[in-house]
Amino acid sequence: MAIVLVGLSHKTAPVEVRERLAFSESRISSALEMIVDRQTVHESVLVSTCNRVEIIAASPRDMNAAETVSYLYRFLREFHQTDHDLIARHCYDYTDLAAVTHIFRVTSSLDSMVIGEPQITGQVKEAFQLAQEAQSVGHNLTRLMNRAFAVAKRVRNETGIGSSAVSISFVAVELARKVFEKLQGSTVMLVGAGEMAELAARHLLNYGAGRLLIANRTFENARRLADELGGEPVSFDDYEKRLPEADILLCSTGATSYIIHPDQIRRALGARRNRPMLLIDISVPRNIDPSIGSIDNVFVFDVDDLESIAESNRTERQREAERAEAIITAEAERFLISHAEGDLNAVIGALRKQAAEMAFAELERSRKRLGHLDQNQEEALETLVNAIVNRFTQPMIRKLRESEDGHSSILEAWKDFYNHDGRK
Amino acid sequence: MTILLVLALLFYLAGAFYAIILFAAKAEKRNGHLKTLITVGFIVHSAAIAVDWWQLGHFPIVNPKEVSSLIAWAIVAYYLGMSLRYQARALPTFLLPLVFIFTLASLLIQTPDHPLPQVLEGAITASTVTQIIFPAHVILVILSYAAFVMTFVSGVMYLIQERDLKAKNIGGAFQLLPALNTCDEMGYRSLTIGFVLLTLGVATGIIWNNQRDGRYWHNDPKEVMALVTWLVYLFIIHYRLTAGWRGRRVALLSIFGFLVVLLTWLGARTLGGYHVFG
C-alpha cells in the first residue's frame, strides 16, 4: 500500500486560497466518498483547518504514485471548481516516506504557524474520526494515523516544544503562574487600559484569575472595559487605595514618568502581609519605578523583559523543534519499514496459501485413482504434499525476506506471475 | 533485613536518576512512573524495617544504622503524603539523593558491638509505659526531622526560583520548580508539622528522662541543641504569625533551622554526652 498526500498550508498559500480550497465539515464525508474510488485510492483522510488542507490517501502498491497524485489534484480541482494554475502554484504533494514524515510533522505541530501550538493534534484527530464515520479508512490509514497521534504525544512528552509562552501576553500568564501556581482566587488590577494590558488581562482571566479591577484616567473607558471583561471599574484617584488587593498589577498608561513608587508598594505589601505581588509594566515610557524590583516579595517586569523572555522561549522552542524533527524522522522510517514488512508478510502468506491450495487441489483430482487409504496413509500423503509445497516456496520466501524494502523485483515478478497483489 | 534494604536502595537510586533526568530534560512528562518507583522502594523499605522489628523483638531505633534508615523512610513517607496535595514535580529531584544517602549510610554503618546502649536497656524491655515512651520519643523526633527536610528543600527551591525571577530568567531546567507561593506554603506547612512533632518529641524525651533517673533535664549537648532548634522554629512561626514574614526571609531562616537540626542530630555526638545513639 502506498501513502500519498496532497495539500496546502499557511506556508504555501495565502488565506484567500486556503478559504477557497477548504472543506466545510458538512461536505467532508461526501468529499471522502468521492476520493475513495477503490481503484486509485482505497482509503483516505481529509484534514481541513483554517491553516491547512491535507488529503491523505492510501493507494494500491502497483499504482504509480504520480498517478495517484494527479488523481488527487484532479479531485481538488473538480470539487472546488478552480483552475489548474491556482492548485499548481499553492499545493504540495508527498509520497511514501515524505508523506508519512509530513503527516507526523503536522500532527506534532511542527508545521504550525506557531510551532508547538496544541490545537492541531486535536483537529487531525477530529478529521480522522470523520473519516472513520464516513468509512473511508481501513487498516492502513488507521495504523498510520494512530501512529501519528502516538508520535505527537511522544514529541510533546519528550521535548519542551509546547511548554513555554512565546507571546508577550502569555509570558505575563507564565510569570503569574511562576509566582502563584494557580491563578484561581487571585486579583488582577489594570492601571491604564492599553491594548496589550487588556490582552494579558484576558489571558489571565482565561487561566482562572478571580477578580479584575480596572483603573483608568478616563473613567468611562474603565467602565466600558470592565463591562466587557466582567471586571470592576475603579476611579483613577482610588487606585492606590485598592493596590493592596492586587496580586497582579498590569500597568499601561500614557504617563511620561513613574506613577508607581516604592513606598506605595511597601505600604501595599504591609497591608497584604507580604503576600507576593507581580507588577507588569507594559507602558513605554515605563510607569513602574524599576527600583521596586529590589523589594522582597515583589517582582517587576517591563515590556523589554517580557519580550526577551518570549524571544528566548522562541529560541528554546526552535531548539526543541529540532529534537522533535529527529524523533519524527526516526518514527517515520520505522513506520515504513514495519508497513513494508506487513506488505511482505501478506505476500508470503498468499504465496504459501496459493501453493498449498494448488497442491491439495491436485491431490483431490487424483484421489479416485488412489483408492481407499487408511488413517496412516492419509497422514503420510498430507505430510508429503506439505513438504513439497514448503520445499518449493522456501527459497522464494528467503529471497523475499532478504530484499528488505519488501517490494523488490522478485515481489513484483511474483505479483505479475500470479496476477496477485498479495492482499486478497 | 539487609537484602530488602539493598533492594529499597536500588529503587531509590533508580528513582533519583530518573528524577534528575526528567528534571534536566524538562520534559512535560507526568512523573507517574517515578512515583511508582518511589512507592515500590518505600514498600520494600517498610518491609525491611518490619522484618528487623520482628527479628530484634524491638523497634529498630537504637543505633545510628537503624536511625539513618528510619530517617530515609520518614522522608519518603512525608514526600508521598505531600505529593497527594502538591503537584511539585521538582521535589523528588531534590529529595531522592538525600534519601539515597541516608539509606546508603544505614547500609554502610557497622552495627555497634553493643547493639543496645546501656542506657537504653531498660527502655526497650522494662515496664509497659517506658516501652511506649522511648520509641515514641525517637519516632516523633525522626518524623519531625523528615518534615524539616521538606522545609529545607522548599526553602532551597524558593531561593532558586526567586533568584531566577528577580534576574528575569525564567527558562532553563528550573521551569519545573514549583511556584513561589507553593514553595512557601509547602515549606511553612512542613515547618509547623515538624514543630508540633518536635515539641511532642522533646516532651516525651523529658518524660522519659524523668522515668529513668528522676531528672527532667541533663544539660546534655543534644538536649541543649534540641532546645535551640525548637527556639529557631518557634521564632520563625512567631514572626510569620505576627509580622507576616514570608518568602525569602522565611526560606533563609528555614535553611538555617535545618543546619541547626543537622548540628543537633550529628554534631551533638561529637560534643560528647550520653545522648549519642541515633
Side-chain angles (χ1 to χ4, degrees):
Chain A
M1 193 57 79
I3 311 271
V4 176
L5 180 143
V6 164
L8 68 155
S9 75
H10 60 94
K11 287 187 174 163
T12 60
V15 65
E16 311 87 75
V17 178
R18 301 204 300 272
E19 276 166 3
R20 191 114 187 256
L21 297 178
F23 294 81
S24 65
E25 204 178 311
S26 53
R27 295 183 74 191
I28 281 187
S29 84
S30 59
L32 283 170
E33 231 164 79
M34 290 165 71
I35 300 171
V36 180
D37 65 349
R38 310 269 165 210
Q39 281 177 1
T40 319
V41 171
H42 280 194
E43 302 172 34
S44 180
V45 173
L46 212 167
V47 182
S48 180
T49 75
C50 52
N51 278 331
R52 65 180 67 252
V53 175
E54 314 265 358
I55 305 174
I56 303 162
S59 61
R61 173 58 65 194
D62 50 13
M63 182 66 71
N64 188 340
E67 221 173 291
T68 314
V69 167
S70 62
Y71 167 82
L72 291 177
Y73 277 136
R74 199 162 57 240
F75 162 77
L76 257 184
R77 207 163 54 230
E78 280 164 12
F79 193 91
H80 290 294
Q81 308 194 327
T82 54
D83 54 286
H84 176 80
D85 268 11
L86 185 82
I87 285 172
R89 238 194 344 266
H90 296 293
C91 289
Y92 44 78
D93 52 82
Y94 298 110
T95 56
D96 292 326
L97 183 62
V100 172
T101 309
H102 182 75
I103 293 162
F104 286 5
R105 291 189 73 240
V106 168
T107 314
S108 305
S109 192
L110 284 176
D111 199 53
S112 302
M113 207 182 267
V114 177
I115 292 177
E117 58 88 12
Q119 284 92 338
I120 184 66
T121 313
Q123 289 166 333
V124 177
K125 271 187 188 151
E126 276 162 31
F128 178 55
Q129 255 162 27
L130 284 178
Q132 279 178 316
E133 279 158 26
Q135 297 182 324
S136 72
V137 284
H139 135 95
N140 288 292
L141 285 194
T142 303
R143 259 191 78 219
L144 173 67
M145 298 316 287
N146 282 333
R147 198 63 228 152
F149 301 135
V151 170
K153 199 170 165 193
R154 220 192 120 190
V155 164
R156 195 148 282 274
N157 280 342
E158 291 177 24
T159 73
I161 191 169
S163 63
S164 49
V166 291
S167 71
I168 288 187
S169 47
F170 262 114
V171 169
V173 175
E174 201 182 327
L175 286 172
R177 292 167 84 188
K178 284 264 120 183
V179 178
F180 302 105
E181 180 103 54
K182 289 198 181 82
L183 299 183
Q184 272 75 10
S186 64
T187 300
V188 180
M189 185 162 169
L190 290 185
V191 176
E195 198 179 322
M196 196 72 91
E198 184 193 322
L199 191 59
R202 274 180 202 277
H203 287 320
L204 287 165
L205 289 173
N206 278 344
Y207 276 82
R211 237 154 42 96
L212 177 66
L213 307 177
I214 303 172
N216 197 44
R217 263 189 220 287
T218 319
F219 187 69
E220 219 17 71
N221 288 347
R223 180 146 60 201
R224 193 179 38 72
L225 190 59
D227 286 346
E228 197 187 325
L229 297 178
E232 178 193 337
V234 172
S235 134
F236 200 75
D237 302 323
D238 278 349
Y239 84 83
E240 200 186 328
K241 257 184 262 163
R242 308 292 297 269
L243 216 47
E245 294 169 45
D247 297 304
I248 301 157
L249 178 77
L250 288 162
C251 204
S252 67
T253 75
T256 50
S257 59
Y258 301 148
I259 60 166
I260 309 262
H261 302 286
D263 35 317
Q264 287 176 323
I265 295 300
R266 281 206 190 89
R267 278 198 297 275
L269 269 180
R272 298 168 51 81
R273 295 182 61 81
N274 293 323
R275 275 182 297 122
M277 293 176 88
L278 175 63
L279 311 186
I280 296 175
D281 191 352
I282 315 184
S283 21
V284 180
R286 286 181 293 179
N287 288 167
I288 299 177
D289 185 342
S291 69
I292 290 171
S294 59
I295 302 174
D296 260 5
N297 297 314
V298 181
F299 303 90
V300 182
F301 292 85
D302 64 32
V303 81
D304 280 359
D305 300 330
L306 299 187
E307 184 45 55
S308 79
I309 291 168
E311 178 56 39
S312 84
N313 285 349
R314 281 193 285 267
T315 323
E316 178 74 20
R317 253 191 207 198
Q318 204 55 52
R319 223 182 4 254
E320 293 300 310
E322 277 159 31
R323 284 178 53 206
E325 297 282 3
I327 292 177
I328 282 174
T329 309
E331 285 277 1
E333 274 163 15
R334 193 181 322 153
F335 177 82
L336 271 195
I337 288 169
S338 67
H339 193 68
E341 253 167 31
D343 254 11
L344 184 61
N345 285 337
V347 168
I348 289 170
L351 168 68
R352 274 220 182 97
K353 191 164 165 246
Q354 193 158 357
E357 272 168 9
M358 280 177 185
F360 280 102
E362 288 305 315
L363 176 63
E364 286 310 310
R365 272 160 49 120
S366 313
R367 213 158 248 291
K368 275 183 201 142
R369 276 177 284 151
L370 287 170
H372 178 74
L373 300 170
D374 66 21
Q375 186 79 22
N376 262 343
Q377 288 170 314
E378 200 59 77
E379 271 169 27
L381 204 54
E382 204 167 304
T383 316
L384 170 80
V385 174
N386 274 326
I388 292 170
V389 169
N390 283 345
R391 272 288 176 90
F392 175 71
T393 53
Q394 228 157 36
M396 278 199 257
I397 290 170
R398 198 165 50 239
K399 276 283 177 210
L400 280 172
R401 291 238 185 260
E402 279 165 9
S403 60
E404 275 181 9
D405 59 356
H407 45 89
S408 66
S409 50
I410 301 169
L411 191 60
E412 299 301 330
W414 191 78
K415 282 181 197 163
D416 279 353
F417 204 54
Y418 289 99
N419 188 21
H420 193 304
D421 75 353
R423 262 174 309 278
K424 280 155 199 157
Chain B
M1 191 63 177
T2 311
I3 182 72
L4 283 177
L5 197 57
V6 171
L7 203 59
L9 182 78
L10 291 178
F11 277 109
Y12 293 149
L13 181 65
F17 271 113
Y18 190 42
I20 290 167
I21 288 167
L22 277 185
F23 192 72
K26 53 200 145 121
E28 251 188 276
K29 199 176 255 175
R30 304 227 155 253
N31 56 0
H33 295 307
L34 180 57
K35 214 166 149 187
T36 311
L37 209 57
I38 300 172
T39 311
V40 173
F42 178 71
I43 291 169
V44 174
H45 196 164
S46 308
I49 292 172
V51 170
D52 277 348
W53 192 355
W54 179 62
Q55 283 180 341
L56 294 168
H58 61 81
F59 199 64
I61 40 170
V62 295
N63 56 47
K65 185 181 182 65
E66 293 166 355
V67 167
S68 291
S69 159
L70 204 60
I71 284 194
W73 181 87
I75 295 173
V76 181
Y78 198 83
Y79 160 74
L80 290 174
M82 288 297 261
S83 69
L84 296 178
R85 187 181 170 93
Y86 298 101
Q87 203 229 353
R89 288 177 295 178
L91 266 184
T93 316
F94 289 85
L95 285 177
L96 281 181
L98 282 175
V99 170
F100 173 75
I101 288 169
F102 281 123
T103 315
L104 185 67
S106 169
L107 282 165
L108 295 181
I109 296 170
Q110 294 292 317
T111 311
D113 297 338
H114 305 289
L116 212 56
Q118 209 179 359
V119 67
L120 287 182
E121 255 161 38
I124 300 285
T125 50
S127 70
T128 44
V129 179
T130 47
Q131 229 173 354
I132 294 169
I133 282 292
F134 175 71
H137 165 63
V138 180
I139 290 168
L140 284 167
V141 170
I142 284 177
L143 288 177
S144 80
Y145 286 179
F148 292 139
V149 165
M150 185 66 85
T151 307
F152 166 73
V153 168
S154 302
V156 171
M157 291 195 301
Y158 183 96
L159 291 181
I160 295 172
Q161 179 79 290
E162 198 229 16
R163 190 203 57 191
D164 278 4
L165 271 173
K166 287 275 187 196
K168 291 153 190 195
N169 161 28
I170 64 163
F174 295 102
Q175 267 184 5
L176 289 186
L177 287 175
L180 281 182
N181 259 6
T182 307
C183 294
D184 188 68
E185 197 187 307
M186 211 156 55
Y188 185 68
R189 187 177 296 267
S190 303
L191 193 151
T192 49
I193 292 172
F195 183 76
V196 170
L197 291 167
L198 182 67
T199 308
L200 295 172
V202 169
T204 46
I206 289 173
I207 294 169
W208 182 56
N209 264 351
N210 184 41
Q211 280 176 355
R212 219 175 50 249
D213 54 14
R215 289 168 63 197
Y216 288 106
W217 196 260
H218 296 80
N219 272 334
D220 173 82
K222 193 149 192 158
E223 289 174 359
V224 175
M225 287 305 293
L227 184 66
V228 173
T229 311
W230 190 79
L231 287 173
V232 168
Y233 286 118
L234 181 68
F235 177 83
I236 302 176
I237 292 173
H238 174 74
Y239 277 100
R240 174 95 169 195
L241 292 177
T242 57
W245 280 14
R246 55 190 298 147
R248 180 184 174 76
R249 199 174 298 178
V250 169
L252 285 171
L253 284 170
S254 303
I255 291 170
F256 173 71
F258 185 68
L259 295 180
V260 179
V261 169
L262 282 183
L263 270 180
T264 312
W265 183 45
L266 302 170
R269 297 176 64 76
T270 56
L271 296 173
Y274 76 93
H275 205 156
V276 292
F277 30 88

